[in-house]
């Protein structure tokens, strides 16, 4: 923190206390939970000068106006479940906690729609839908802690994005606070709207660098009557990839097709709800949802496509499926627990390069002497290739970072994306130019310059 | 055309002939087919100074560079099937016909994907998918003439957008020529990608005002095994709207739910493939697609939701359905033929205001002494309220325009959109401020200024 920023922060803190009240402005030891987020495993940590907890949109606008006036950086934070350090205030400044903006403004079952505050937890959104017979499909990990605004700001994905698309696909409209502190509405409550440029999707996935999302109107659909999950174990990745291709040409549209590679299977084998065949070194989980008739007719087709497998475990009951998805969600933690450190590389490739991306991840890990655990969304060719290391071992994090960079470069050569669903954040800063051509980079920078001319919103991210 | 533009055009024409060849540059009488598009019924017409027919992306870039140098406006044109004059060069300049950019670069059935030139006809895109067992769902009208690039540039909708979303939902990546003549790639071939800001959806629906789309990578899905269409006739709109609500709370996700009001039913009654009950003054067409088992199970649920109706006509065979959709496509023409002139107002409202939007359209037409024919996408609450008039009658067009403006203002009060799927184009120029708040308008203008600083791309549109 420079001396200038230091004195700016002191007068800013006073001003913010006046606007928001004493309790809504935290400093020093009170901010400690905001020094880290779910990217802690890769060693990210940053201390903000202030944390504010505004209670509504107008308070968010007031905070932004004050930060803009004092030229102090402002970093919005949802549930802190991001994996790339997007919510951490590198370089200090103010962290804005959106948790109090959790109002439910409207649930309209007959219109398949709800409007809620950005701070509402994702599992609450899903539950509100469920109670009205409706389904909000996006299911990024950590739904019990993540907030819908953060999911939108990162365009969070998850297993069911295969059939249903990422979070952004379900956003009809947003309320956003943009610099220097103006409240705007983009999109709305209409299912179709081409009046202006698509500003809604400009804010979706912008990681809080163009504006702060304060409320959203979400689209929903009727809750699927039934679903079946099929777990298929293979002796190696090649056999698993062949089965995946069979699924994709079967004529079915599964809700999700997940994979776990050998490292991920080993790390989480003990916790598997059921028994995993000891020969299983690559796992696919395919889920199909729909009407009861459709699920009954499609389950055998799905099992056939996944065959031959060393094990095939079809789960028709909700409780068996819940157990399975809970286990799937726990893979991240199980992998983190292996040696204490992990660096997860979230990438996607064109579908026909999926097997190659798996083997490249394996080769690079082996060459670096690192252990690889890979899992993710096979149907979307979205890999989380995770390099596991002992953080107390000197140079281990550096080795993992070099390996990650090598993988990013290779993915770009394959026509893939360096950020499929976890964002760029701080962890991948400076890498955007790897993937984007000069013209696109220039447009990205122009957008940032136009919307946030002083560069104060979540600085250093999405670059 | 000012004298300056006049002399600029003369030297530009010479330059373009050198770049593209003599045959690719049209002037005078050769340009006559470009003076109108499908908006002719509302009296729109504009004469460009030149028409160019570039053969590839680099030629498009060269044309843009030349136009930018000479400061001559450039209006891209796809199939000319737009209804708001988006492809007409008001104020002159160059029209760029994209028809020759119709190459099929790649069809990848196992990856549910294809990459094609912007000039490829929409029905060709759909057929290419079908031949590989895949489905490209967007079905705006006039698929036999419209081009995929134009569909993307307008984010065209259509009946099946209800289940499947508009054209933009199916775009993975674009090749775009941006001022002053640079070729960029946005998005790509990946199903998930949050690396940069969402530039793909910035160009989708931008009506050629930010760049010219020259190629696209499209996502597809397996072709649905089966479908059923149910035609339900009602004595009035209120009964039809009640049935629509029953469909929306039935738990089904229909592929399409269309409506025709009394005027539209009367205009197209004679051509209906089958018999329409004489009591039918409001029609719903609901379609459900999926596996055979799903369709068999869901058809009775759909029929039940649509009941009671004065007639209920379930069509299970492809040929009966084709007849029905062909008829549905012909409604526009039948309405146009009534008196020779029509002004169609494409709007959407929040779903719960659909009945109100129908009755408001009716009231406004009646008060203006105009005949109303309304039809469109009931599930999306997307109305095409069409005021029919005799163009030879003095003041009739003006009366229709006043009525349309009154409806647009009312729709905005209802929280709706003044452009659901047909764009702003020239027909709705100057109306954007009705719907967008000041902050959003400012961002729209900033985007235009950033991407097209000289304002030469399709000037006067999307404003």
């Amino acid at each position: 923190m420079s001396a200038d920023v230091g004195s700016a922060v002191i007068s800013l803190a006073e001003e913010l206390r006046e606007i928001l009240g004493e309790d809504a402005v935290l400093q020093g030891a009170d901010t400690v939970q905001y020094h880290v987020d779910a990217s802690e495993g890769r060693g990210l940590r940053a201390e903000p000068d202030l944390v504010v907890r505004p209670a509504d949109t107008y308070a968010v606008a007031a905070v932004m106006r004050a930060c803009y006036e004092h030229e102090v950086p402002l970093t919005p934070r949802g549930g802190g479940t991001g994996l790339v350090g997007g919510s951490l205030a590198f370089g200090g400044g103010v962290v804005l906690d959106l948790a109090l903006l959790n109002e439910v403004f409207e649930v309209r079952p007959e219109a398949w729609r709800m409007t809620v505050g950005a701070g509402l937890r994702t599992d609450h959104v899903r539950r509100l839908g469920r109670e009205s017979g409706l389904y909000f499909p996006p299911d990024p990990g950590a739904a019990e802690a993540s907030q819908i605004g953060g999911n939108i700001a990162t365009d969070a994905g998850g297993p069911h994005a295969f059939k249903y698309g990422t979070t952004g696909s379900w956003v009809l409209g947003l309320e956003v606070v943009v610099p220097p502190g103006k409240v705007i509405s983009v999109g709305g409550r209409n299912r179709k709207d081409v009046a202006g440029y698509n500003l809604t999707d400009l804010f979706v996935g912008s990681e809080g660098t163009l504006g702060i999302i304060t409320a959203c109107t979400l689209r929903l659909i009727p809750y699927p009557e039934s679903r079946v999950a099929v777990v298929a174990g293979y002796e190696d990745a090649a056999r698993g990839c062949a089965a995946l291709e069979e699924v994709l040409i079967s004529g079915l549209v599964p809700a999700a097709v997940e994979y776990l590679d050998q490292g991920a299977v080993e790390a989480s084998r003990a916790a598997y709800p059921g028994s995993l065949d000891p020969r299983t070194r690559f796992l696919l989980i395919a889920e199909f949802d729909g009407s009861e008739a459709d699920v009954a007719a499609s389950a055998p087709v799905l099992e056939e496509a996944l065959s031959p497998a060393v094990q095939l475990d079809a789960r028709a009951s909700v409780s068996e499926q819940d157990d399975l998805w809970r286990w799937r969600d726990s893979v991240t933690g199980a992998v983190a627990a292996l040696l204490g450190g992990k660096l997860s590389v979230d990438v996607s490739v064109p579908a026909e390069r999926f097997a190659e991306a798996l083997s490249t991840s394996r080769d690079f890990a082996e060459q670096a002497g690192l252990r690889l655990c890979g899992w993710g969304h096979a149907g979307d060719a979205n890999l989380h290739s995770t390099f596991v290391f002992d953080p107390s071992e000197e140079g281990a994090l550096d080795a993992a970072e070099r390996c990650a960079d090598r993988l990013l470069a290779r993915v770009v050569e394959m026509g893939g994306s360096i950020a499929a669903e976890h964002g760029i954040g701080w962890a991948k800063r400076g890498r955007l130019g790897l993937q984007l051509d000069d013209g696109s980079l220039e447009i990205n920078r122009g957008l940032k310059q136009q919307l946030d001319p002083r560069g104060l919103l979540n600085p250093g991210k999405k670059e």
Side-chain angles (χ1 to χ4, degrees), chain A residues 280-342:
Chain A
T280 288
R281 290 198 203 84
F282 190 89
L283 205 72
L284 289 178
I285 305 172
E287 192 184 271
F288 186 90
D289 66 10
S291 66
E292 273 175 28
D294 200 13
V295 170
S298 301
V301 180
L302 190 56
E303 291 184 48
E304 170 68 26
L306 290 165
S307 302
V310 297
Q311 74 174 113
L312 210 59
D313 168 15
R315 294 166 175 243
S317 83
V318 172
S319 72
E320 282 178 310
Q321 291 161 13
D322 285 351
D323 289 348
L324 179 69
W325 286 113
R326 227 182 338 262
W327 173 75
R328 163 65 187 81
D329 264 356
S330 75
V331 170
T332 304
V335 168
L338 282 175
L339 297 173
K342 72 173 174 73

Side-chain angles (χ1 to χ4, degrees), chain A residues 24 35 59 70 101 121 135 138 205 210 213 236 317 359 402 447 459 461:
Chain A
H35 299 185
H70 293 276
L101 280 83
R121 286 205 325 268
Y135 184 42
L210 301 180
I213 296 165
D236 55 38
S317 83
S359 62
R402 281 194 304 273
L447 291 170
K461 315 292 168 58

Side-chain angles (χ1 to χ4, degrees), chain A residues 174-382:
Chain A
L174 295 173
E175 181 190 71
V176 189
V177 178
V178 292
K182 196 184 304 182
V183 182
I184 65 170
S185 284
V186 298
R189 288 171 290 152
N190 303 295
R191 292 174 56 93
K192 275 171 163 178
D193 180 2
V194 295
Y197 298 129
N198 186 343
L199 302 189
T200 307
D201 283 321
L202 188 58
F203 289 107
V204 167
S206 66
E207 302 187 31
T209 62
L210 301 180
I212 298 181
I213 296 165
T214 48
C216 56
T217 296
L218 304 173
R219 189 169 67 83
L220 299 103
I221 49 167
Y223 206 90
E225 197 177 32
S226 179
R227 62 182 74 221
V228 62
V230 182
V231 181
Y234 303 91
E235 286 174 285
D236 55 38
R239 287 182 176 87
C241 289
L244 170 63
E245 195 172 329
E246 290 300 316
V247 171
L248 294 177
I249 62 174
S250 70
L252 294 183
V253 183
V257 190
E258 300 283 296
Y259 83 97
L260 280 78
D261 75 1
Q262 185 174 355
V265 168
E266 295 312 329
S268 51
R269 181 184 285 278
Y272 183 77
S275 69
L276 274 187
D277 190 290
R279 290 167 300 172
T280 288
R281 290 198 203 84
F282 190 89
L283 205 72
L284 289 178
I285 305 172
E287 192 184 271
F288 186 90
D289 66 10
S291 66
E292 273 175 28
D294 200 13
V295 170
S298 301
V301 180
L302 190 56
E303 291 184 48
E304 170 68 26
L306 290 165
S307 302
V310 297
Q311 74 174 113
L312 210 59
D313 168 15
R315 294 166 175 243
S317 83
V318 172
S319 72
E320 282 178 310
Q321 291 161 13
D322 285 351
D323 289 348
L324 179 69
W325 286 113
R326 227 182 338 262
W327 173 75
R328 163 65 187 81
D329 264 356
S330 75
V331 170
T332 304
V335 168
L338 282 175
L339 297 173
K342 72 173 174 73
L343 200 158
S344 195
V345 187
D346 159 55
V347 294
S348 64
V349 291
E352 67 276 17
R353 313 292 290 265
F354 177 61
E356 184 186 345
L358 287 176
S359 62
T360 301
S361 300
R362 222 159 41 222
D363 292 347
F364 287 3
E366 203 178 293
Q367 288 158 17
L370 292 164
R371 189 159 161 186
L372 173 76
C373 296
W375 67 95
H377 316 301
D380 282 323
N382 175 189

